[in-house]
Amino acid sequence: MSHALDASGAGSDTPNLDFAGTTPYEDYVQADVLTHLQHLRSDDPGEMVFLVTTQVMELWFTVIVHEWETAARALREDRVPVAMDALKRSLRELEALNASWRPLAQLTPAQFNAYRSALGEGSGFQSAMYRRMEFLLGEKSASMLVPHRGAPRVHGELEKALQEPSLYDETLRLLARRGLPVPQSVLTRDLALRYEPSAEVEAVWTALYAEPDGGHADLHRLGEVLTDVAELVWRWRNDHLVATRRAMGAKTGTGGSAGVTWLEKRATKNVFPELWTARSHV
Ligand code: HEM
């Protein structure tokens, strides 16, 4: 075991400098690994921030997936306060994720072109962790597994996420266990399919929102936190859309899509749809 030394050798009220191997910080954070994963593909000085921003976003996706999986499990076990804590943490994380658009938000086409061709067919569309976020929100799609056929671990994780109840499925099951009239067809739906809005579910939320302090005040609060999540996800999609429009106009994407028009369609999708439509009836 190493002992405390200070730089002048005088006392022990300064940080320890003496480690036999790598520092305990390194052992925990693996900063050496993390800061040597930036393999640039061009000589353009602007590529570094593009790559690191993408990596930072991947890390935030990972944290947010962790929070939402924690929340989904807690809802399944009727531990609403635990789910609320995880969802609230995810709100602050989504804000940090969205703030990380700043370095890329004003790229000009010439700046982006300086390294764009070096990306080849690489596209965020192929991000497995983003896809897990979308699956947790109920935006399921088996065809989104296809790009990952060649990567067994990632494919396995996505396959599992496709079959598991989303955050919203767990919420609706909880509402049903609390005696609210969520239809059987929703409770027993094929979980691997995209969640489709239901008039009956909209009516359940309408009733909850009409009486926020009624017998289900905690479920009303849960509805509001999920609405915050939905809003911040919508903001991420829109910030991405606007950054893309600035950087490449109407060109096709590196992933082969129509680019901005494809992203526009994705951005209009409502997360947790009835939490939005119910508001018209309260
Ligand atoms: C300003 C730089 C960026 C541009 C111009 C851009 C462009 C695009 C385009 C055109 C698409 C549609 C698919 C395709 O054909 O490629 C797309 C999808 C996507 N991009 Fe970006 N992107 C940028 C930055 C980022 C960053 C930093 C991330 C962070 C990981 C990211 C994540 C994604 C994701 C997750 C999708 C799929 C969205 C979905 O499935 O709805 N993008 N991007």
Side-chain angles (χ1 to χ4, degrees):
M1 193 65 193
S2 59
H3 38 251
L5 279 185
D6 95 0
S8 66
S12 60
D13 55 351
T14 53
N16 194 1
L17 305 178
D18 182 22
F19 302 105
T22 51
T23 63
Y25 175 83
E26 179 58 30
D27 296 344
Y28 181 54
V29 179
Q30 298 203 50
D32 188 41
V33 176
L34 210 50
T35 56
H36 289 82
L37 294 172
Q38 290 69 41
H39 306 297
L40 299 176
R41 299 262 181 97
S42 75
D43 295 331
D44 185 73
E47 189 194 339
M48 184 68 160
V49 68
F50 177 80
L51 175 55
V52 172
T53 300
T54 309
Q55 292 179 332
V56 164
M57 286 199 187
E58 282 288 339
L59 291 176
W60 280 128
F61 296 161
T62 308
V63 176
I64 292 163
V65 162
H66 175 78
E67 304 293 18
W68 293 351
E69 285 180 348
T70 302
R73 201 178 319 117
L75 291 173
R76 193 177 316 149
E77 295 162 0
D78 294 300
R79 294 183 300 145
V80 180
V82 175
M84 288 293 279
D85 284 347
L87 290 171
K88 283 185 189 160
R89 281 196 303 271
S90 83
L91 297 181
R92 303 291 87 82
E93 293 147 9
L94 281 162
E95 284 168 357
L97 167 71
N98 291 352
S100 51
W101 275 117
R102 293 311 302 149
L104 298 184
Q106 273 94 22
L107 278 182
T108 66
Q111 286 167 340
F112 187 45
N113 284 345
Y115 49 85
R116 187 179 191 223
S117 58
L119 308 178
E121 286 187 68
S123 165
F125 173 72
Q126 298 144 16
S127 163
M129 208 46 97
Y130 180 80
R131 208 52 64 203
R132 277 175 66 183
M133 278 179 52
E134 289 276 12
F135 284 3
L136 273 159
L137 297 172
E139 189 60 36
K140 301 278 189 78
S141 163
S143 64
M144 293 295 185
L145 268 63
V146 177
H148 305 285
R149 274 180 308 200
R153 181 170 70 180
V154 165
H155 190 275
E157 286 170 354
L158 268 179
E159 173 87 63
K160 187 163 171 278
L162 181 74
Q163 305 297 342
E164 274 179 357
S166 73
L167 202 44
Y168 200 50
D169 290 315
E170 293 294 3
T171 300
L172 297 180
R173 290 175 179 191
L174 171 71
L175 266 47
R177 289 196 299 278
R178 289 288 191 86
L180 298 169
V182 176
Q184 203 55 31
S185 57
V186 169
L187 299 173
T188 56
R189 75 182 202 91
D190 182 346
L191 296 171
L193 299 181
R194 170 176 302 117
Y195 178 82
E196 295 297 341
S198 129
E200 292 97 323
V201 169
E202 182 187 85
V204 168
W205 285 119
T206 304
L208 270 175
Y209 270 75
E211 268 194 88
D213 302 320
H216 299 293
D218 60 335
L219 299 181
H220 174 262
R221 282 197 296 277
L222 175 62
E224 278 300 273
V225 173
L226 291 173
T227 306
D228 291 337
V229 166
E231 179 174 328
L232 290 167
V233 168
W234 179 83
R235 284 183 197 284
W236 186 90
R237 290 177 182 162
N238 274 278
D239 288 351
H240 177 255
L241 173 64
V242 178
T244 303
R245 199 181 272 147
R246 284 184 80 129
M248 54 176 258
K251 292 173 204 162
T252 51
T254 46
S257 82
V260 160
T261 49
W262 186 81
L263 289 174
E264 268 164 358
K265 270 195 230 117
R266 311 280 296 171
T268 54
K269 285 176 190 282
N270 258 349
V271 177
F272 312 141
E274 299 92 342
L275 273 168
W276 297 97
T277 57
R279 285 160 207 272
S280 315
H281 309 291
V282 180

